[in-house]
Amino acid sequence: MRTTVAFKTLFAIAIGASLFSCNNSRDYKNNSRATGWDINSKDGGFQYKTDYKEQETGPGLVFVEGGTFTMGRVQDDVMHDWNNTPTQQHVQSFYMDETEVTNIMYMEYLDWLKNVFPPSEPNYKNIYSGAVPDTLVWRNRLGFNETMVNNYLRHPAYSNYPVVGVNWMQATEFSKWRTNRVNELKLEKEGYSKEGARYTDVSAGTTFDTETYLNAPTKTYGGNDSITRGGKNADKLGTAKDTSNAKNIYIQRKDGVLLPEYRLPTEAEWEYAALGLVGIRDYNVYRGRKKYPWDGQYTRSGDAKRQGDQLANFKQGEGDYGGIAGWSDDGADITAEVKSYQANDYGLYDMAGNVAEWVADVYRPIVDDEFNDFNYYRGNVYTKNAINDDGTVQIVTPEGVVYDTLSSGRIMARALPGEIAQVPINEKDTYLRTNFNESDNRNFRDGDKSSTRYYEPFNEISNPSKRMYNSPQFSTDTDSTGNVKPNYDETSRTTMVSDEVRVYKGGSWRDRAYWLDPSQRRYFPQDMATDYIGFRNAMSRVGSKSKDKNKTARN
């Protein structure tokens, strides 16, 4: 009898210990560290992706592990710009395009716009035209460049050459489009949306936008649920058999399926990636003494097999854009096909030469490392989703597209149909915040009222000519027929620096070797384009700094 009681007692203890051990497992893989409840239980409850491994590398990108570096130039500043004083900065890990965005990549974007928003329809006529690069940038009053004007963008001979004639705003819009197309395809491949819908079911009123899908999935594709619920795996997202329960049939951010946005890299990211310090263990290089994206102090290769070959596409001298044909030639007179030169240690091509590249930052003569030295970026304009009276997000409709008129009079769409309309944050949103207090932070600590020598705490600056940056002020008028007429600023100005000029980095086919140094920085109006500035995209990394989660510090 005692044996039976003892056995039952031990059995009960064992069962209890088993349950306790299960619910308090140190890895907490299938149960909550907070409550001990099961996660992703078939009986209901909290659903969360627990087998997430790491961020997938998006199309065209390579991984750049973040770290600290000396941003700026430590060599003599022969141009006396004094705008790249060395500072120590730290950037998080990110991804970057291995090459510049090419003509064929940009043509895919233009083709999509033309098919979805036909320019023949009045509502959309400025969507396509506003995205087309300015091919007239090739013209020179004393040069014959009509071949490039007519062929460079569209001819297949130039398909893998970097796109130029694209202003900063166009590059930003391309980045948004690319994000949506990549995530649209991911949903289809994973079986969560209708197969082939991106070709057969898309129109001006039924487009896919990533943020719309995450915030208001029922309004994606114009509210056509047969597309968003038409995938083979749509019924596997949740436990409820009733697929009308929207929270169980749409991918959410916590599922880890959709990629972060494609965007322009920050200036700090671009310079860090261009230097390619990952392949070098040298104190002087770490402190900022690496001159180019490759090793050494010269533009020619010292490798035995390639000795004397130029390592980048740049202007070698007055009237010398490529060297002597067949002998000392760098292989290009204008731009060169991408991957024509060796990649740096991150696997990035043409981080010096070929074309200079737009970065995200608004230009200022200094990098304000006293205020921030982590993921430095000047250009933050914080917005929020526009909300309708009924509490739903406001979606841009085909009839409600809002356009911006550039200083040149050119018209560009601010947001495409299907996107969520954005509005600036207000005082209510920033109440009692200590880290930011307004929407537009482009001129924070440099160029705003409080940083001008005329600033008086209780008075406004009545004379606009006393702004810190006395840049031209352009405006436009529209006549009764809808034609836009630019009003040019004819006032004497002393600078082009304003909140509407952006940094561009790297030398180009038009530049001498001096500008190949990644620390060099120049600026250009964000709504203007040239024949020597292109761009490439970046993407933030979420999660661990390194792809090797077991990586330890090395001596």
Side-chain angles (χ1 to χ4, degrees):
M1 183 69 176
R2 290 179 180 177
T3 302
T4 302
V5 173
F7 177 79
K8 289 181 177 180
T9 302
L10 289 173
F11 181 76
I13 292 173
I15 293 296
S18 175
L19 290 173
F20 181 82
S21 175
C22 177
N23 289 331
N24 292 274
S25 171
R26 293 188 65 83
D27 61 15
Y28 292 94
K29 185 174 182 180
N30 296 313
N31 51 72
S32 167
R33 191 185 300 270
T35 63
W37 287 31
D38 289 339
I39 295 176
N40 301 329
S41 171
K42 294 182 179 180
D43 299 324
F46 182 52
Q47 304 293 309
Y48 197 82
K49 188 176 182 65
T50 56
D51 59 349
Y52 181 78
K53 295 190 172 43
E54 69 170 30
Q55 181 177 340
E56 178 184 333
T57 303
L61 304 177
V62 296
F63 176 67
V64 178
E65 183 174 337
T68 187
F69 77 112
T70 300
M71 181 178 178
R73 183 178 175 85
V74 297
Q75 291 87 5
D76 289 339
D77 190 347
V78 299
M79 300 295 291
H80 300 290
D81 289 330
W82 307 117
N83 66 353
N84 55 358
T85 304
T87 66
Q88 187 154 304
Q89 296 285 337
H90 190 102
V91 296
Q92 285 184 290
S93 298
F94 59 100
Y95 298 83
M96 181 175 275
D97 269 330
E98 63 174 348
T99 73
E100 303 100 333
V101 170
T102 62
N103 284 319
I104 193 171
M105 294 168 66
Y106 203 87
M107 283 291 293
E108 184 181 4
Y109 167 51
L110 295 178
D111 184 69
W112 187 91
L113 289 178
K114 180 180 285 187
N115 288 333
V116 176
F117 306 106
S120 57
E121 299 189 24
N123 282 344
Y124 316 134
K125 65 178 183 179
N126 291 313
I127 292 179
Y128 175 79
S129 63
V132 174
D134 181 5
T135 59
L136 298 183
V137 294
W138 287 105
R139 282 184 172 166
N140 186 304
R141 284 166 288 192
L142 292 178
F144 179 71
N145 297 327
E146 292 306 293
T147 300
M148 279 81 80
V149 171
N150 296 322
N151 294 284
Y152 183 80
L153 174 64
R154 302 180 187 277
H155 197 284
Y158 292 112
S159 61
N160 286 316
Y161 284 58
V163 67
V164 295
V166 174
N167 64 45
W168 183 92
M169 299 173 72
Q170 290 172 318
T172 302
E173 290 302 311
F174 170 89
S175 306
K176 291 164 55 179
W177 169 85
R178 188 177 180 186
T179 302
N180 293 332
R181 303 293 74 75
V182 168
N183 282 329
E184 185 177 27
L185 179 59
K186 282 185 67 66
L187 287 178
E188 181 183 321
K189 283 186 173 181
E190 295 289 335
Y192 298 121
S193 64
K194 179 182 174 183
E195 185 175 356
R198 68 187 191 280
Y199 294 122
T200 60
D201 295 81
V202 172
S203 66
T206 58
T207 59
F208 175 87
D209 179 77
T210 301
E211 289 302 314
T212 300
Y213 181 86
L214 290 170
N215 288 274
T218 58
K219 296 187 178 182
T220 310
Y221 291 111
N224 188 346
D225 280 349
S226 66
I227 299 177
T228 49
R229 299 185 183 188
K232 60 184 179 181
N233 290 330
D235 59 345
K236 297 179 182 180
L237 289 178
T239 58
K241 294 182 179 180
D242 180 11
T243 57
S244 64
N245 188 350
K247 72 177 183 180
N248 290 317
I249 63 167
Y250 296 114
I251 285 291
Q252 299 176 28
R253 210 179 293 273
K254 67 179 182 179
D255 295 304
V257 173
L258 299 178
L259 291 177
E261 65 175 350
Y262 282 82
R263 55 176 174 80
L264 291 179
T266 66
E267 181 181 4
E269 287 175 335
W270 194 98
E271 188 170 330
Y272 176 83
L275 286 171
L277 301 180
V278 67
I280 296 177
R281 304 292 176 187
D282 184 278
Y283 178 77
N284 285 331
V285 171
Y286 168 75
R287 299 301 298 175
R289 296 187 183 277
K290 186 176 182 182
K291 188 173 184 179
Y292 299 117
W294 52 84
D295 297 344
Q297 299 294 309
Y298 305 100
T299 63
R300 294 185 182 272
S301 174
D303 183 77
K305 294 181 179 179
R306 304 178 64 248
Q307 192 165 13
D309 288 355
Q310 290 288 4
L311 296 172
N313 175 23
F314 64 99
K315 182 178 180 179
Q316 298 179 33
E318 189 70 25
D320 184 358
Y321 288 83
I324 300 173
W327 178 60
S328 182
D329 195 5
D330 67 9
D333 38 29
I334 54 168
T335 57
E337 188 172 6
V338 297
K339 295 190 176 182
S340 294
Y341 306 90
Q342 288 184 313
N344 72 359
D345 288 328
Y346 279 121
L348 301 170
Y349 294 87
D350 294 324
M351 296 300 287
N354 214 17
V355 292
E357 299 177 17
W358 289 114
V359 296
D361 294 57
V362 167
Y363 176 81
R364 287 295 186 269
I366 62 169
V367 172
D368 189 359
D369 64 316
E370 292 184 1
F371 187 82
N372 181 42
D373 57 5
F374 179 76
N375 283 348
Y376 186 86
Y377 166 63
R378 178 179 289 279
N380 283 312
V381 179
Y382 299 122
T383 61
K384 61 182 180 180
N385 295 339
I387 304 299
N388 295 316
D389 294 337
D390 60 359
T392 60
V393 292
Q394 182 178 329
I395 307 298
V396 178
T397 64
E399 297 76 27
V401 179
V402 179
Y403 296 94
D404 284 330
T405 302
L406 310 185
S407 57
S408 63
R410 188 172 185 174
I411 298 175
M412 283 187 60
R414 182 185 305 171
L416 295 178
E419 296 179 14
I420 300 177
Q422 298 293 303
V423 295
I425 60 172
N426 54 38
E427 293 181 355
K428 182 179 180 181
D429 301 313
T430 62
Y431 180 65
L432 290 183
R433 288 196 175 274
T434 58
N435 54 332
F436 67 97
N437 57 15
E438 60 185 355
S439 174
D440 190 345
N441 296 273
R442 290 175 296 177
N443 58 20
F444 176 66
R445 282 170 57 96
D446 188 67
D448 55 359
K449 288 188 299 183
S450 60
S451 59
T452 67
R453 59 179 174 164
Y454 302 101
Y455 177 67
E456 298 179 13
F458 304 104
N459 296 314
E460 296 288 337
I461 298 176
S462 58
N463 187 351
S465 66
K466 292 185 177 182
R467 291 177 292 117
M468 172 171 278
Y469 294 107
N470 187 26
S471 56
Q473 303 293 295
F474 298 106
S475 63
T476 57
D477 291 329
T478 305
D479 60 25
S480 58
T481 61
N483 295 320
V484 176
K485 178 184 178 181
N487 296 320
Y488 298 103
D489 187 346
E490 298 179 357
T491 306
S492 177
R493 301 297 185 182
T494 59
T495 181
M496 288 292 293
V497 177
S498 71
D499 291 344
E500 283 73 41
V501 296
R502 301 285 172 166
V503 178
Y504 69 94
K505 302 281 283 183
S508 75
W509 65 276
R510 278 195 178 275
D511 294 312
R512 301 292 291 268
Y514 175 81
W515 296 105
L516 302 184
D517 184 341
S519 68
Q520 296 295 353
R521 55 199 305 261
R522 292 174 283 180
Y523 62 92
F524 206 68
Q526 66 183 21
D527 59 355
M528 296 175 64
T530 75
D531 62 354
Y532 58 86
I533 300 180
F535 71 101
R536 72 180 75 209
N537 283 144
M539 178 185 289
S540 299
R541 176 171 171 83
V542 295
S544 63
K545 174 183 178 181
S546 172
K547 282 192 170 185
D548 181 3
K549 294 185 179 180
N550 298 318
K551 182 177 179 180
T552 56
R554 298 185 178 95
N555 294 328

